[in-house]
Amino acid sequence: MKKILSFLLALAMVLALVVTMVACQPAEQPGPDDKPSTDKPSTDKPSTNNPDPNEPGPDERIPVNYLPTTTYGGAPIHILEWSCNDVEEVGVSWIPWEEGDVEVEDGDMLASAVFDRNAWVEETYGVDITKEYSSIDGNPGYITLARNDASVDSNLYQIFTMRTIEIIHMIREDLFTDMNLYEQYLRFDKPWWVQDSVASFTLGSHLYAASSEMLLRDKGATAALYFNQSLAENYVDDLPDFFELATKGDWTLETMIEACTAVAVSHDGDELINSATDIWGFVGDDDPVYFLYNAAGYKFAHIDEDGFLDYDFAEDGSDSIQVMQDIFLNVIYADWYMHENLIGRKILETDQDLFVDGNALFKSGMVKDTTTELKNMTDMYGILPHPKFSVDQENYSSLVYQHHDSAVGIPSHTADKEMSAVILEALSWESYYSVYPVFYDTILLNRAAKDQESKEMLQIIFATRSYDPGQYWDSTSGLHGGSGLLRLSETGNANIASIWAIHMDKVQESVDRINNWIADKEAD
Protein backbone atom coordinates (compact mmCIF):
# COMPACT_ATOMS: atom_id res chain seq x y z
CA MET A 1 0.00 0.00 0.00
CA LYS A 2 2.86 2.42 0.83
CA LYS A 3 4.44 1.72 -2.58
CA ILE A 4 1.16 2.49 -4.33
CA LEU A 5 0.70 5.71 -2.38
CA SER A 6 4.30 6.75 -3.14
CA PHE A 7 3.76 6.09 -6.82
CA LEU A 8 0.53 8.11 -6.90
CA LEU A 9 2.18 10.98 -5.07
CA ALA A 10 5.07 11.05 -7.52
CA LEU A 11 2.69 10.96 -10.46
CA ALA A 12 0.72 13.89 -9.05
CA MET A 13 3.91 15.92 -8.66
CA VAL A 14 4.91 15.25 -12.29
CA LEU A 15 1.48 16.26 -13.59
CA ALA A 16 1.57 19.45 -11.54
CA LEU A 17 4.98 20.29 -12.99
CA VAL A 18 3.76 19.76 -16.56
CA VAL A 19 0.72 21.97 -15.99
CA THR A 20 2.94 24.70 -14.54
CA MET A 21 5.32 24.57 -17.51
CA VAL A 22 2.47 24.83 -20.01
CA ALA A 23 0.87 27.71 -18.14
CA CYS A 24 4.15 29.64 -18.17
CA GLN A 25 4.51 29.50 -21.96
CA PRO A 26 3.90 32.91 -23.67
CA ALA A 27 0.60 33.23 -25.49
CA GLU A 28 1.03 32.79 -29.24
CA GLN A 29 -0.35 35.56 -31.43
CA PRO A 30 -2.83 34.44 -34.08
CA GLY A 31 -1.08 34.04 -37.42
CA PRO A 32 -2.45 34.33 -40.96
CA ASP A 33 -2.64 30.56 -41.35
CA ASP A 34 -4.87 30.28 -38.28
CA LYS A 35 -7.87 31.66 -40.16
CA PRO A 36 -10.36 28.87 -40.84
CA SER A 37 -10.53 28.01 -44.51
CA THR A 38 -14.27 28.60 -44.80
CA ASP A 39 -14.19 30.70 -47.95
CA LYS A 40 -12.95 28.60 -50.83
CA PRO A 41 -11.96 29.86 -54.26
CA SER A 42 -14.54 29.00 -56.88
CA THR A 43 -13.82 26.08 -59.15
CA ASP A 44 -14.88 28.42 -61.97
CA LYS A 45 -12.16 30.93 -61.14
CA PRO A 46 -10.05 31.46 -64.27
CA SER A 47 -6.39 30.56 -63.92
CA THR A 48 -5.16 34.02 -64.85
CA ASN A 49 -1.96 33.63 -62.87
CA ASN A 50 -1.06 30.04 -63.79
CA PRO A 51 -0.50 28.84 -60.20
CA ASP A 52 1.88 25.97 -59.54
CA PRO A 53 -0.07 22.72 -60.05
CA ASN A 54 1.87 21.20 -57.15
CA GLU A 55 0.48 23.77 -54.71
CA PRO A 56 -2.69 23.12 -52.68
CA GLY A 57 -5.94 22.85 -54.60
CA PRO A 58 -9.14 24.86 -54.23
CA ASP A 59 -10.16 23.13 -51.01
CA GLU A 60 -7.13 24.27 -48.99
CA ARG A 61 -5.24 27.50 -48.67
CA ILE A 62 -1.66 28.04 -49.70
CA PRO A 63 0.12 28.74 -46.40
CA VAL A 64 1.73 32.10 -45.78
CA ASN A 65 3.85 31.06 -42.81
CA TYR A 66 6.55 33.46 -44.03
CA LEU A 67 4.42 36.32 -42.64
CA PRO A 68 5.19 37.22 -39.03
CA THR A 69 2.72 37.00 -36.15
CA THR A 70 3.63 40.55 -35.13
CA THR A 71 0.92 42.91 -33.96
CA TYR A 72 1.28 46.66 -34.47
CA GLY A 73 -0.63 48.15 -31.56
CA GLY A 74 -3.45 49.78 -33.54
CA ALA A 75 -1.18 51.36 -36.16
CA PRO A 76 -3.04 53.04 -39.06
CA ILE A 77 -3.05 51.53 -42.53
CA HIS A 78 -4.35 54.48 -44.53
CA ILE A 79 -4.84 53.74 -48.24
CA LEU A 80 -4.77 56.58 -50.76
CA GLU A 81 -6.99 55.47 -53.66
CA TRP A 82 -7.21 57.25 -57.00
CA SER A 83 -10.37 58.68 -58.46
CA CYS A 84 -11.23 60.95 -61.38
CA ASN A 85 -13.52 63.89 -62.08
CA ASP A 86 -14.03 64.40 -58.32
CA VAL A 87 -15.88 61.06 -58.05
CA GLU A 88 -15.72 59.65 -54.52
CA GLU A 89 -18.88 57.53 -54.54
CA VAL A 90 -18.71 53.80 -55.07
CA GLY A 91 -20.93 52.46 -57.85
CA VAL A 92 -20.07 54.86 -60.67
CA SER A 93 -17.74 54.45 -63.62
CA TRP A 94 -14.49 55.41 -61.95
CA ILE A 95 -15.14 53.45 -58.72
CA PRO A 96 -17.42 50.55 -59.64
CA TRP A 97 -16.69 48.52 -56.50
CA GLU A 98 -15.30 49.09 -53.03
CA GLU A 99 -11.89 47.46 -52.70
CA GLY A 100 -10.03 49.27 -49.92
CA ASP A 101 -12.26 49.69 -46.90
CA VAL A 102 -15.95 49.35 -46.00
CA GLU A 103 -16.77 51.29 -42.86
CA VAL A 104 -20.20 49.76 -42.21
CA GLU A 105 -21.32 46.31 -43.28
CA ASP A 106 -24.48 46.96 -45.30
CA GLY A 107 -25.50 43.51 -46.50
CA ASP A 108 -24.04 43.70 -50.02
CA MET A 109 -22.12 40.47 -50.61
CA LEU A 110 -19.02 42.09 -52.09
CA ALA A 111 -18.90 44.92 -49.54
CA SER A 112 -19.36 42.34 -46.77
CA ALA A 113 -16.44 40.31 -48.11
CA VAL A 114 -14.19 43.40 -48.08
CA PHE A 115 -15.44 44.31 -44.59
CA ASP A 116 -14.74 40.79 -43.25
CA ARG A 117 -11.32 40.67 -44.91
CA ASN A 118 -10.27 43.94 -43.31
CA ALA A 119 -11.73 42.97 -39.94
CA TRP A 120 -9.66 39.78 -39.91
CA VAL A 121 -6.45 41.58 -40.94
CA GLU A 122 -7.08 44.28 -38.34
CA GLU A 123 -7.64 41.74 -35.59
CA THR A 124 -4.72 39.52 -36.59
CA TYR A 125 -2.14 42.27 -36.94
CA GLY A 126 -3.49 44.99 -34.66
CA VAL A 127 -3.93 47.66 -37.34
CA ASP A 128 -6.67 50.09 -38.33
CA ILE A 129 -7.44 50.08 -42.08
CA THR A 130 -8.96 53.21 -43.66
CA LYS A 131 -9.08 54.67 -47.16
CA GLU A 132 -9.22 58.06 -48.81
CA TYR A 133 -10.26 58.84 -52.39
CA SER A 134 -8.57 61.63 -54.30
CA SER A 135 -9.14 62.74 -57.88
CA ILE A 136 -6.26 62.69 -60.32
CA ASP A 137 -7.39 66.07 -61.62
CA GLY A 138 -8.71 67.45 -58.34
CA ASN A 139 -7.49 70.24 -56.11
CA PRO A 140 -5.00 69.50 -54.66
CA GLY A 141 -5.13 66.16 -56.53
CA TYR A 142 -3.78 62.67 -55.88
CA ILE A 143 -0.16 63.20 -56.91
CA THR A 144 0.05 66.48 -55.00
CA LEU A 145 -1.17 64.73 -51.85
CA ALA A 146 1.50 62.06 -52.32
CA ARG A 147 4.18 64.68 -52.88
CA ASN A 148 3.14 66.70 -49.84
CA ASP A 149 3.17 63.59 -47.67
CA ALA A 150 6.70 62.79 -48.85
CA SER A 151 8.00 66.34 -48.45
CA VAL A 152 7.17 66.59 -44.76
CA ASP A 153 7.40 62.87 -43.84
CA SER A 154 3.92 63.04 -42.36
CA ASN A 155 3.46 59.25 -42.54
CA LEU A 156 -0.16 59.77 -43.51
CA TYR A 157 -0.34 56.96 -46.11
CA GLN A 158 0.83 53.36 -45.82
CA ILE A 159 -0.48 52.00 -49.16
CA PHE A 160 -1.07 53.61 -52.56
CA THR A 161 -3.44 52.42 -55.27
CA MET A 162 -2.99 54.28 -58.53
CA ARG A 163 -4.03 53.97 -62.16
CA THR A 164 -1.05 52.85 -64.17
CA ILE A 165 -0.87 55.74 -66.61
CA GLU A 166 0.22 58.02 -63.73
CA ILE A 167 2.55 55.64 -61.93
CA ILE A 168 5.62 56.44 -64.04
CA HIS A 169 5.60 60.05 -62.81
CA MET A 170 5.36 58.97 -59.18
CA ILE A 171 8.08 56.35 -59.53
CA ARG A 172 10.53 58.78 -61.11
CA GLU A 173 9.84 61.19 -58.23
CA ASP A 174 10.71 58.40 -55.75
CA LEU A 175 7.20 58.35 -54.31
CA PHE A 176 6.98 54.54 -54.51
CA THR A 177 9.09 52.00 -52.62
CA ASP A 178 10.92 49.22 -54.44
CA MET A 179 8.82 46.33 -53.17
CA ASN A 180 11.51 43.80 -54.09
CA LEU A 181 13.37 45.04 -51.01
CA TYR A 182 10.70 43.28 -48.94
CA GLU A 183 10.59 40.01 -50.85
CA GLN A 184 10.63 38.08 -47.56
CA TYR A 185 7.01 39.21 -47.15
CA LEU A 186 5.85 40.07 -50.66
CA ARG A 187 5.89 36.86 -52.69
CA PHE A 188 5.13 37.98 -56.21
CA ASP A 189 5.19 34.44 -57.59
CA LYS A 190 2.04 33.57 -55.62
CA PRO A 191 -1.34 33.45 -57.39
CA TRP A 192 -2.75 36.41 -55.47
CA TRP A 193 -0.38 38.58 -57.51
CA VAL A 194 -1.29 39.08 -61.18
CA GLN A 195 1.72 37.67 -62.99
CA ASP A 196 1.47 39.65 -66.25
CA SER A 197 1.24 42.79 -64.14
CA VAL A 198 4.36 41.84 -62.18
CA ALA A 199 6.27 41.21 -65.42
CA SER A 200 5.06 44.45 -67.02
CA PHE A 201 5.89 46.63 -63.99
CA THR A 202 9.33 45.16 -63.34
CA LEU A 203 11.99 47.75 -64.19
CA GLY A 204 15.48 46.29 -64.04
CA SER A 205 15.60 44.46 -60.72
CA HIS A 206 12.99 46.76 -59.19
CA LEU A 207 9.23 46.49 -58.76
CA TYR A 208 7.42 49.62 -57.57
CA ALA A 209 3.81 48.64 -58.26
CA ALA A 210 1.74 45.63 -59.33
CA SER A 211 -1.80 44.32 -59.30
CA SER A 212 -2.96 41.85 -56.68
CA GLU A 213 -6.26 40.23 -55.78
CA MET A 214 -6.70 42.97 -53.19
CA LEU A 215 -7.70 45.18 -56.13
CA LEU A 216 -10.92 45.06 -58.15
CA ARG A 217 -10.64 48.07 -60.42
CA ASP A 218 -7.95 46.42 -62.54
CA LYS A 219 -10.44 43.59 -63.16
CA GLY A 220 -13.15 46.11 -64.05
CA ALA A 221 -10.77 47.84 -66.48
CA THR A 222 -10.43 44.67 -68.58
CA ALA A 223 -11.68 45.07 -72.16
CA ALA A 224 -14.95 43.31 -73.05
CA LEU A 225 -17.24 43.43 -76.07
CA TYR A 226 -21.02 43.47 -75.62
CA PHE A 227 -23.69 42.63 -78.15
CA ASN A 228 -27.42 43.16 -78.05
CA GLN A 229 -28.90 39.64 -78.11
CA SER A 230 -32.44 40.90 -78.60
CA LEU A 231 -31.38 42.90 -81.66
CA ALA A 232 -29.32 40.00 -83.02
CA GLU A 233 -32.36 37.73 -82.92
CA ASN A 234 -34.04 40.00 -85.48
CA TYR A 235 -31.21 39.21 -87.89
CA VAL A 236 -30.77 35.55 -87.05
CA ASP A 237 -30.61 34.60 -90.75
CA ASP A 238 -27.80 37.10 -91.38
CA LEU A 239 -25.68 36.61 -88.28
CA PRO A 240 -23.56 33.69 -87.05
CA ASP A 241 -23.63 32.35 -83.50
CA PHE A 242 -21.08 34.67 -81.87
CA PHE A 243 -20.74 32.48 -78.76
CA GLU A 244 -20.03 29.37 -80.84
CA LEU A 245 -17.41 31.16 -82.93
CA ALA A 246 -15.67 32.53 -79.85
CA THR A 247 -15.65 29.11 -78.17
CA LYS A 248 -14.07 27.53 -81.25
CA GLY A 249 -11.48 30.31 -81.50
CA ASP A 250 -12.96 31.57 -84.78
CA TRP A 251 -14.29 34.93 -83.57
CA THR A 252 -12.43 37.43 -85.81
CA LEU A 253 -12.45 41.09 -86.74
CA GLU A 254 -13.69 40.26 -90.25
CA THR A 255 -16.68 38.37 -88.86
CA MET A 256 -17.53 41.28 -86.56
CA ILE A 257 -17.33 43.75 -89.46
CA GLU A 258 -19.63 41.57 -91.57
CA ALA A 259 -22.16 41.45 -88.73
CA CYS A 260 -22.10 45.23 -88.29
CA THR A 261 -22.63 45.72 -92.01
CA ALA A 262 -25.57 43.30 -92.04
CA VAL A 263 -27.39 44.94 -89.12
CA ALA A 264 -26.79 48.66 -89.66
CA VAL A 265 -29.84 50.34 -91.21
CA SER A 266 -31.30 53.83 -91.50
CA HIS A 267 -34.80 54.28 -90.12
CA ASP A 268 -35.36 57.95 -90.90
CA GLY A 269 -35.51 57.69 -94.69
CA ASP A 270 -32.22 59.40 -95.61
CA GLU A 271 -30.29 56.15 -96.16
CA LEU A 272 -27.58 57.36 -93.76
CA ILE A 273 -26.71 55.93 -90.35
CA ASN A 274 -26.71 59.26 -88.55
CA SER A 275 -29.48 59.47 -85.96
CA ALA A 276 -30.59 58.03 -82.65
CA THR A 277 -33.40 56.14 -84.39
CA ASP A 278 -31.07 54.32 -86.79
CA ILE A 279 -29.50 50.94 -86.05
CA TRP A 280 -25.74 51.22 -85.66
CA GLY A 281 -23.34 48.33 -85.99
CA PHE A 282 -20.81 49.36 -83.34
CA VAL A 283 -20.57 52.06 -80.68
CA GLY A 284 -17.56 53.19 -78.73
CA ASP A 285 -15.42 56.15 -77.80
CA ASP A 286 -11.65 56.41 -78.37
CA ASP A 287 -10.83 53.34 -76.30
CA PRO A 288 -11.73 50.60 -78.86
CA VAL A 289 -8.66 51.63 -80.87
CA TYR A 290 -6.52 50.13 -78.11
CA PHE A 291 -8.85 47.24 -77.30
CA LEU A 292 -8.93 46.03 -80.91
CA TYR A 293 -5.18 46.52 -81.42
CA ASN A 294 -4.38 44.48 -78.33
CA ALA A 295 -7.00 41.89 -79.29
CA ALA A 296 -5.16 41.51 -82.59
CA GLY A 297 -2.22 40.21 -80.57
CA TYR A 298 -0.11 43.36 -80.54
CA LYS A 299 1.51 45.48 -77.84
CA PHE A 300 3.30 48.77 -78.17
CA ALA A 301 6.20 47.53 -76.02
CA HIS A 302 7.35 44.81 -73.65
CA ILE A 303 9.81 44.50 -70.77
CA ASP A 304 12.86 42.51 -71.89
CA GLU A 305 14.66 39.85 -69.86
CA ASP A 306 16.90 42.50 -68.25
CA GLY A 307 13.98 44.66 -67.17
CA PHE A 308 14.31 47.37 -69.83
CA LEU A 309 11.55 48.78 -72.04
CA ASP A 310 11.69 47.41 -75.60
CA TYR A 311 9.39 49.24 -78.05
CA ASP A 312 7.57 47.06 -80.58
CA PHE A 313 5.33 49.40 -82.58
CA ALA A 314 6.59 50.00 -86.13
CA GLU A 315 9.71 47.91 -85.55
CA ASP A 316 11.43 46.43 -88.59
CA GLY A 317 9.42 43.59 -90.09
CA SER A 318 6.33 44.40 -88.03
CA ASP A 319 2.96 44.95 -89.67
CA SER A 320 1.69 46.86 -86.61
CA ILE A 321 1.18 50.11 -88.53
CA GLN A 322 -0.90 48.32 -91.17
CA VAL A 323 -2.97 46.53 -88.50
CA MET A 324 -3.68 49.82 -86.72
CA GLN A 325 -4.61 51.46 -90.01
CA ASP A 326 -6.98 48.59 -90.85
CA ILE A 327 -8.72 49.07 -87.49
CA PHE A 328 -9.29 52.75 -88.23
CA LEU A 329 -10.39 52.30 -91.84
CA ASN A 330 -12.58 49.23 -91.40
CA VAL A 331 -14.08 49.89 -87.96
CA ILE A 332 -13.58 53.36 -86.48
CA TYR A 333 -14.40 55.20 -89.74
CA ALA A 334 -17.04 52.77 -91.00
CA ASP A 335 -20.48 54.24 -91.66
CA TRP A 336 -21.99 52.06 -88.94
CA TYR A 337 -19.54 53.09 -86.16
CA MET A 338 -20.88 55.65 -83.69
CA HIS A 339 -18.24 57.75 -81.96
CA GLU A 340 -19.95 60.77 -80.44
CA ASN A 341 -16.95 63.05 -81.00
CA LEU A 342 -16.17 61.95 -84.56
CA ILE A 343 -16.63 64.74 -87.10
CA GLY A 344 -20.09 64.53 -88.63
CA ARG A 345 -21.35 61.92 -86.14
CA LYS A 346 -22.62 64.14 -83.34
CA ILE A 347 -26.19 63.20 -82.44
CA LEU A 348 -28.41 63.75 -79.42
CA GLU A 349 -27.63 60.44 -77.72
CA THR A 350 -24.24 59.19 -76.59
CA ASP A 351 -22.78 55.94 -77.88
CA GLN A 352 -23.59 54.37 -74.51
CA ASP A 353 -27.25 55.41 -74.72
CA LEU A 354 -27.58 54.03 -78.25
CA PHE A 355 -26.57 50.57 -77.11
CA VAL A 356 -28.65 50.61 -73.93
CA ASP A 357 -31.69 51.77 -75.91
CA GLY A 358 -31.34 48.89 -78.38
CA ASN A 359 -30.05 50.85 -81.37
CA ALA A 360 -26.61 49.26 -81.75
CA LEU A 361 -25.41 45.69 -82.20
CA PHE A 362 -22.01 45.93 -80.49
CA LYS A 363 -20.57 48.06 -77.72
CA SER A 364 -16.85 48.05 -76.99
CA GLY A 365 -16.13 48.66 -73.32
CA MET A 366 -14.80 47.18 -70.12
CA VAL A 367 -15.98 44.58 -67.62
CA LYS A 368 -17.05 47.27 -65.15
CA ASP A 369 -19.69 48.52 -67.60
CA THR A 370 -21.95 45.68 -66.45
CA THR A 371 -22.17 47.34 -63.02
CA THR A 372 -22.48 50.92 -64.24
CA GLU A 373 -23.57 51.74 -67.79
CA LEU A 374 -25.45 48.52 -68.55
CA LYS A 375 -27.08 47.76 -65.21
CA ASN A 376 -30.47 49.19 -66.30
CA MET A 377 -30.45 47.84 -69.85
CA THR A 378 -33.78 46.23 -70.79
CA ASP A 379 -32.63 44.15 -73.77
CA MET A 380 -30.59 41.02 -73.17
CA TYR A 381 -26.91 41.56 -73.85
CA GLY A 382 -24.18 39.00 -74.38
CA ILE A 383 -20.49 39.26 -73.47
CA LEU A 384 -17.62 38.42 -75.84
CA PRO A 385 -13.86 38.92 -75.96
CA HIS A 386 -12.74 41.45 -78.53
CA PRO A 387 -12.13 39.57 -81.77
CA LYS A 388 -8.86 38.17 -83.04
CA PHE A 389 -7.39 39.91 -86.07
CA SER A 390 -7.44 36.64 -88.00
CA VAL A 391 -8.40 33.02 -87.41
CA ASP A 392 -4.70 32.08 -87.47
CA GLN A 393 -4.10 34.04 -84.27
CA GLU A 394 -3.49 31.61 -81.42
CA ASN A 395 -5.22 33.35 -78.51
CA TYR A 396 -7.64 36.10 -77.66
CA SER A 397 -6.20 39.07 -75.78
CA SER A 398 -8.11 41.33 -73.37
CA LEU A 399 -6.36 44.59 -72.53
CA VAL A 400 -6.27 45.90 -68.98
CA TYR A 401 -6.77 49.57 -69.84
CA GLN A 402 -4.32 52.01 -68.31
CA HIS A 403 -6.80 54.89 -68.03
CA HIS A 404 -9.14 52.98 -65.71
CA ASP A 405 -7.10 50.23 -64.02
CA SER A 406 -5.31 50.20 -60.70
CA ALA A 407 -2.04 48.96 -59.25
CA VAL A 408 -0.87 48.90 -55.64
CA GLY A 409 2.37 50.04 -54.05
CA ILE A 410 4.02 51.23 -50.86
CA PRO A 411 4.75 54.96 -50.32
CA SER A 412 8.47 55.63 -50.16
CA HIS A 413 8.08 57.91 -47.13
CA THR A 414 5.87 55.78 -44.93
CA ALA A 415 7.57 55.21 -41.58
CA ASP A 416 7.26 51.42 -41.39
CA LYS A 417 7.60 49.96 -44.88
CA GLU A 418 7.96 46.45 -43.46
CA MET A 419 4.54 46.76 -41.83
CA SER A 420 3.05 48.00 -45.11
CA ALA A 421 4.55 45.01 -46.91
CA VAL A 422 3.18 42.53 -44.36
CA ILE A 423 -0.31 44.02 -44.44
CA LEU A 424 -0.32 44.28 -48.24
CA GLU A 425 0.55 40.60 -48.59
CA ALA A 426 -2.03 39.61 -45.97
CA LEU A 427 -4.74 41.67 -47.69
CA SER A 428 -3.86 40.18 -51.08
CA TRP A 429 -3.74 36.61 -49.76
CA GLU A 430 -7.02 36.89 -47.91
CA SER A 431 -8.69 38.59 -50.90
CA TYR A 432 -7.70 35.69 -53.13
CA TYR A 433 -9.73 33.32 -50.99
CA SER A 434 -12.63 35.47 -49.80
CA VAL A 435 -13.13 38.69 -51.81
CA TYR A 436 -12.22 37.69 -55.35
CA PRO A 437 -14.43 34.56 -55.44
CA VAL A 438 -17.42 36.67 -54.35
CA PHE A 439 -16.58 39.28 -56.96
CA TYR A 440 -16.14 36.77 -59.76
CA ASP A 441 -18.89 34.30 -58.89
CA THR A 442 -21.53 36.73 -57.63
CA ILE A 443 -20.90 40.10 -59.22
CA LEU A 444 -19.77 38.88 -62.63
CA LEU A 445 -21.09 35.39 -63.24
CA ASN A 446 -24.44 35.75 -61.48
CA ARG A 447 -25.23 39.45 -61.90
CA ALA A 448 -23.36 40.74 -64.94
CA ALA A 449 -23.51 37.66 -67.17
CA LYS A 450 -27.11 37.02 -68.19
CA ASP A 451 -26.59 33.54 -69.64
CA GLN A 452 -24.28 30.55 -69.43
CA GLU A 453 -22.55 31.42 -72.71
CA SER A 454 -21.58 34.87 -71.41
CA LYS A 455 -20.20 33.26 -68.26
CA GLU A 456 -17.97 31.11 -70.44
CA MET A 457 -16.89 34.19 -72.38
CA LEU A 458 -15.95 35.95 -69.14
CA GLN A 459 -13.72 33.01 -68.32
CA ILE A 460 -11.97 33.49 -71.66
CA ILE A 461 -11.64 37.23 -71.06
CA PHE A 462 -10.17 36.83 -67.58
CA ALA A 463 -7.83 34.08 -68.71
CA THR A 464 -6.43 36.33 -71.45
CA ARG A 465 -5.97 39.62 -69.55
CA SER A 466 -3.04 41.55 -71.01
CA TYR A 467 -0.92 44.51 -69.88
CA ASP A 468 0.87 46.75 -72.40
CA PRO A 469 3.94 48.51 -70.94
CA GLY A 470 4.21 50.70 -74.02
CA GLN A 471 1.09 52.58 -73.03
CA TYR A 472 1.95 53.49 -69.44
CA TRP A 473 5.76 53.69 -69.49
CA ASP A 474 5.78 56.00 -72.53
CA SER A 475 4.29 59.02 -70.80
CA THR A 476 5.75 61.97 -72.68
CA SER A 477 5.88 61.28 -76.43
CA GLY A 478 2.26 62.23 -77.13
CA LEU A 479 1.64 59.12 -79.26
CA HIS A 480 -1.09 58.08 -76.82
CA GLY A 481 -2.27 61.58 -76.03
CA GLY A 482 -4.44 64.27 -77.57
CA SER A 483 -2.26 64.68 -80.67
CA GLY A 484 -1.73 60.95 -81.15
CA LEU A 485 -3.68 57.74 -81.56
CA LEU A 486 -6.14 58.22 -78.70
CA ARG A 487 -7.79 61.28 -80.21
CA LEU A 488 -7.05 60.43 -83.83
CA SER A 489 -10.46 58.75 -84.04
CA GLU A 490 -12.08 62.19 -83.79
CA THR A 491 -10.35 63.53 -86.89
CA GLY A 492 -11.11 61.09 -89.71
CA ASN A 493 -7.38 60.65 -90.37
CA ALA A 494 -6.26 57.04 -90.88
CA ASN A 495 -2.70 57.64 -92.06
CA ILE A 496 -0.96 55.86 -89.19
CA ALA A 497 2.43 56.03 -90.87
CA SER A 498 2.31 59.84 -90.89
CA ILE A 499 1.19 59.94 -87.25
CA TRP A 500 4.09 57.66 -86.35
CA ALA A 501 6.53 59.82 -88.29
CA ILE A 502 5.46 62.82 -86.21
CA HIS A 503 5.91 61.03 -82.89
CA MET A 504 8.67 58.46 -83.47
CA ASP A 505 11.58 60.62 -82.28
CA LYS A 506 9.70 61.63 -79.15
CA VAL A 507 8.79 58.00 -78.50
CA GLN A 508 12.46 57.06 -78.72
CA GLU A 509 13.34 59.89 -76.34
CA SER A 510 10.71 58.64 -73.89
CA VAL A 511 12.00 55.06 -74.13
CA ASP A 512 15.62 56.20 -73.68
CA ARG A 513 14.62 58.32 -70.70
CA ILE A 514 13.00 55.45 -68.83
CA ASN A 515 15.78 53.00 -69.77
CA ASN A 516 18.49 55.45 -68.65
CA TRP A 517 16.62 55.90 -65.40
CA ILE A 518 16.50 52.12 -64.97
CA ALA A 519 20.23 51.86 -65.73
CA ASP A 520 21.00 54.52 -63.10
CA LYS A 521 18.89 52.63 -60.55
CA GLU A 522 20.71 49.41 -61.35
CA ALA A 523 24.05 51.15 -60.87
CA ASP A 524 23.14 52.51 -57.41
Side-chain angles (χ1 to χ4, degrees), residues 41 127 264 278 322 330 367 420 452:
V127 294
D278 294 336
Q322 184 61 51
N330 297 321
V367 167
S420 292
Q452 181 59 35

Side-chain angles (χ1 to χ4, degrees), residues 179-220:
M179 294 191 293
N180 280 339
L181 296 175
Y182 300 92
E183 60 184 0
Q184 69 269 42
Y185 307 125
L186 295 166
R187 303 293 176 89
F188 296 110
D189 60 333
K190 298 298 186 182
W192 42 88
W193 290 97
V194 181
Q195 297 306 301
D196 195 36
S197 164
V198 172
S200 297
F201 284 99
T202 294
L203 300 175
S205 59
H206 310 282
L207 182 65
Y208 296 93
S211 291
S212 82
E213 302 295 32
M214 168 192 161
L215 301 173
L216 296 177
R217 276 195 277 179
D218 64 314
K219 284 75 172 172

Side-chain angles (χ1 to χ4, degrees), residues 51-349:
D52 186 344
N54 296 318
E55 289 187 325
D59 291 332
E60 53 183 311
R61 292 184 175 221
I62 299 171
V64 284
N65 46 22
Y66 51 86
L67 289 181
T69 57
T70 307
T71 56
Y72 296 100
I77 298 294
H78 194 42
I79 306 170
L80 181 61
E81 295 209 56
W82 77 271
S83 180
C84 200
N85 301 335
D86 295 320
V87 171
E88 295 185 3
E89 180 182 354
V90 176
V92 297
S93 177
W94 294 107
I95 314 174
W97 307 287
E98 181 62 81
E99 62 185 4
D101 177 42
V102 176
E103 296 180 2
V104 180
E105 192 171 13
D106 61 3
D108 178 81
M109 291 185 67
L110 183 59
S112 294
V114 173
F115 182 90
D116 291 342
R117 175 202 67 190
N118 285 12
W120 175 77
V121 172
E122 288 174 330
E123 180 181 358
T124 301
Y125 291 99
V127 294
D128 180 25
I129 300 172
T130 55
K131 60 95 173 40
E132 171 186 347
Y133 288 117
S134 178
S135 293
I136 300 299
D137 47 2
N139 184 15
Y142 186 108
I143 297 179
T144 299
L145 289 177
R147 288 170 179 157
N148 292 343
D149 184 54
S151 66
V152 297
D153 286 332
S154 66
N155 193 36
L156 181 58
Y157 307 112
Q158 284 69 49
I159 292 175
F160 284 154
T161 74
M162 186 59 168
R163 69 175 178 177
T164 55
I165 197 171
E166 265 87 27
I167 284 179
I168 181 61
H169 307 293
M170 299 179 70
I171 289 176
R172 292 182 61 193
E173 291 184 40
D174 291 325
L175 297 177
F176 275 89
T177 296
D178 177 10
M179 294 191 293
N180 280 339
L181 296 175
Y182 300 92
E183 60 184 0
Q184 69 269 42
Y185 307 125
L186 295 166
R187 303 293 176 89
F188 296 110
D189 60 333
K190 298 298 186 182
W192 42 88
W193 290 97
V194 181
Q195 297 306 301
D196 195 36
S197 164
V198 172
S200 297
F201 284 99
T202 294
L203 300 175
S205 59
H206 310 282
L207 182 65
Y208 296 93
S211 291
S212 82
E213 302 295 32
M214 168 192 161
L215 301 173
L216 296 177
R217 276 195 277 179
D218 64 314
K219 284 75 172 172
T222 305
L225 185 67
Y226 302 93
F227 74 96
N228 186 315
Q229 294 198 61
S230 303
L231 182 60
E233 289 176 359
N234 297 330
Y235 296 85
V236 67
D237 294 334
D238 302 312
L239 300 179
D241 185 328
F242 301 134
F243 289 135
E244 182 179 359
L245 286 174
T247 300
K248 291 181 177 179
D250 296 336
W251 173 233
T252 65
L253 186 65
E254 181 180 1
T255 303
M256 188 194 78
I257 291 171
E258 291 173 351
C260 291
T261 304
V263 168
V265 63
S266 174
H267 280 175
D268 57 9
D270 62 3
E271 297 184 358
L272 298 174
I273 314 297
N274 60 0
S275 74
T277 60
D278 294 336
I279 301 299
W280 298 75
F282 192 107
V283 297
D285 198 10
D286 307 298
D287 306 337
V289 171
Y290 290 100
F291 299 160
L292 292 170
Y293 182 73
N294 182 267
Y298 291 83
K299 293 185 178 183
F300 286 92
H302 67 276
I303 302 296
D304 69 18
E305 59 183 9
D306 296 317
F308 289 88
L309 184 66
D310 193 352
Y311 216 78
D312 299 318
F313 188 73
E315 67 178 357
D316 291 341
S318 169
D319 59 352
S320 54
I321 287 181
Q322 184 61 51
V323 168
M324 181 66 79
Q325 183 163 296
D326 287 345
I327 290 170
F328 273 96
L329 287 175
N330 297 321
V331 181
I332 307 300
Y333 297 147
D335 292 340
W336 38 255
Y337 184 95
M338 169 53 190
H339 177 343
E340 58 189 271
N341 293 320
L342 184 62
I343 295 174
R345 299 280 173 91
K346 189 69 176 177
I347 63 174
L348 295 179
E349 290 197 357

Side-chain angles (χ1 to χ4, degrees), residues 376-393:
N376 296 321
M377 184 170 175
T378 301
D379 288 351
M380 281 284 292
Y381 65 79
I383 305 174
L384 295 165
H386 282 74
K388 299 177 180 180
F389 192 73
S390 72
V391 73
D392 297 329
Q393 187 176 322

